Amino acid sequence: MPERTLTGVGVSPGRGAGPVVVAPPHVPPPSSSQPGATDAEQIPAAAARVRAELEEAAKATTGEARAVLEATALMATDPSLVATAQALVGEDVGPARAVWEAATRIVDDLRALGGPMAERAWDVIDVRDRVVAALTGRSRPGVPDPGHPYVLVATDLSPVDVAMLDPARTRGIVTTRGGPVSHTAILARALGIPAVVGVHGAARLTEGTLVVVDGGAGTVTIDASDDEVSQAAAGARPHRSFTGEGRTLDGQHIPLLANIGRPEDAAAAAAAGAEGIGLLRTEFCFLGRRQAPGHAEQVDAYRRVFASFPGRTVVVRTLDAGSDTPLPFVTSAEEPNPALGVRGFRAFVDHPQLLDDQLAAIADAAADSAADVWVMAPMVTTTADAEEFVSRCTAQGLSTAGVTIEVPAAALRAGQLLSRAAFGSIGTNDLTQYAMAADRQNSELAHLCTPWQPAVLDLVAAACRGGAQQGRPVGVCGEAAADPALALVLVGLGASSLSMAPSALADVAAVLGRTAREMCEHLAAVALAAESAADARASVRALLPVLQELGL
Ligand code: PEP
Ligand code: MG
């Protein structure tokens, strides 16, 4: 008898049940010629229609989903995409085929870059399929709304597909591909839809089969019984909000902070109750440029973030160029092994002025703001790195300079690094990929690349011990902090603050408020004693009935 339970990686907590709806396949490549269609002018017209449609959909939503739809709407009329496609139109190539080919070239280039750039390929694929559908009169691609609650099953889903889902009707998401840091996972969390990705047997799920999705445990139960369905409904994740402070049951304050990647996200993070910003990724200022942004532009961007957090901590991370964020004016396109190459702080060795300019802009923005501005550098590896960064910060008048701890060497030597730096912030996304030698974007390695790996937790523990030796705070800013059960483990290991996607704050606050510090320490010991990530997760969850009670 086939297994009734499929397992994958739970990326958005909560339980939901419903009949399976299988996502339709992507739009197929159009044939080269379209009889009677040689008019290149059809392309900008179709692109404009798609843009308007996506803008309309954006208006109906908020937060991260809205940001995705707005960005994809802009991509629809991207001048280089439209112009390349128009130039390809000829006797043998109709407008739809031309759009397909022009977009596919961009997709291939983005995929070759890997990492978040590869994730952007999705926006182009979405736009391509929509413009092709508009040109060929096909029905609009995307997930059809069946008009009743359902569980969506797909090989993979684009961010736009997820952003357009109705959270009231979509009871769960199950995909064959995808990893915990994919955009799809982040959006599912933001919309509060339970999701399990990397489910190998998902292709077995046929339309109409009743399933229960448990995004906390990472399981999908096939042919669910009435009892299982009603239990899932009873445990559905209610809408929660958060204001105030993150505290354990016995009152220890654990600041709950937000990770953001654009100034326009700061206000939403404040509205979601974030006690500050634990990670401002500053790559947004630099991406897609031929040269670094000027001083005034950077000051303005940082100021906009600080304005939302008067009297609160805002941790600005300096540019993390290289690896999955190549920048032509900083990093080499020839790098044979970019994740282990010149990235993060290392990229500044040949470009010290770039760092000094960024620090000067942060300092100027901080000077006339009421936020308590801290700075940290990515990919700090040695004590010499920490010393160098702190002295450059001091020279610019930035007195709270810290280090991200995302390289195993830095975690093991955190005591020495933190004898130089004011604080540490553990980036569990990179720390996990380096500890496990497993590319964080490779969905086939999702079982290895999880911060539940006891080896990763050993490194977190070492980093926290190093901080404690020096009396320096060490927080966590990787995706691990957004998993309510793991967040408790991190606190038990000694994390002084947790920074996460704003949408995770309320769930983490709720679980933390129901768990005493001593219990967090016990959970940490249990996780460290486990022999696998799956055991660590299962043993910790088994000790936390509160997760079931809260629908997590
Ligand atoms: C991390 O590595 O955990 C982190 C927070 O940084 P990023 O995801 O931007 O690499
Ligand atoms: Mg990182």
Side-chain angles (χ1 to χ4, degrees), residues 279 281 317 320 343 406 427-431 440 477-478:
L279 171 61
R281 292 182 170 98
R317 185 182 70 186
D320 189 2
R343 65 164 289 201
E406 52 187 351
T428 47
N429 308 336
D430 277 314
L431 187 62
R440 61 192 262 190
C477 67

Side-chain angles (χ1 to χ4, degrees), residues 244-269:
E245 293 183 332
R247 286 194 183 277
T248 57
L249 179 62
D250 49 332
Q252 190 193 351
H253 183 204
I254 305 288
L256 299 182
L257 312 168
N259 294 348
I260 60 168
R262 306 181 312 165
E264 42 286 37
D265 298 336

